[in-house]
């Protein structure tokens, strides 16, 4: 939700954001967040760091 909030507020010129690997603590993956989540933004099949969410 924090990353989506930033996406809506900042409105960067990207196609979308993603978090790879289904790490523990994400929706549908049980357990607490155990490590930082590196969220990427992507456009035209290229990706770049968007934000890191600390546990
Ligand atoms: Cu999963």
């Amino acid at each position: 939700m924090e990353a989506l909030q930033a996406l809506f507020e900042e409105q960067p010129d990207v196609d979308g954001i993603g978090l790879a690997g289904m790490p523990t603590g994400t929706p549908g993956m049980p357990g607490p967040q155990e490590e930082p989540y590196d969220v990427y933004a992507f456009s035209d099949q290229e990706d770049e760091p968007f934000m890191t969410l600390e546990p």
Side-chain angles (χ1 to χ4, degrees):
M1 285 304 300
E2 187 178 338
L4 288 174
Q5 188 92 36
L7 182 66
F8 286 124
E9 288 177 0
E10 297 169 16
Q11 307 234 337
D13 184 22
V14 299
D15 292 337
I17 60 173
L19 173 62
M22 298 197 301
T24 300
T26 54
M29 304 306 290
Q33 180 180 355
E34 296 174 340
E35 56 189 18
Y37 294 160
D38 291 321
V39 180
Y40 289 86
F42 53 90
S43 295
D44 300 325
Q45 301 183 34
E46 300 287 331
D47 64 86
E48 61 183 341
F50 180 65
M51 69 187 305
T52 298
L53 301 171
E54 299 296 334

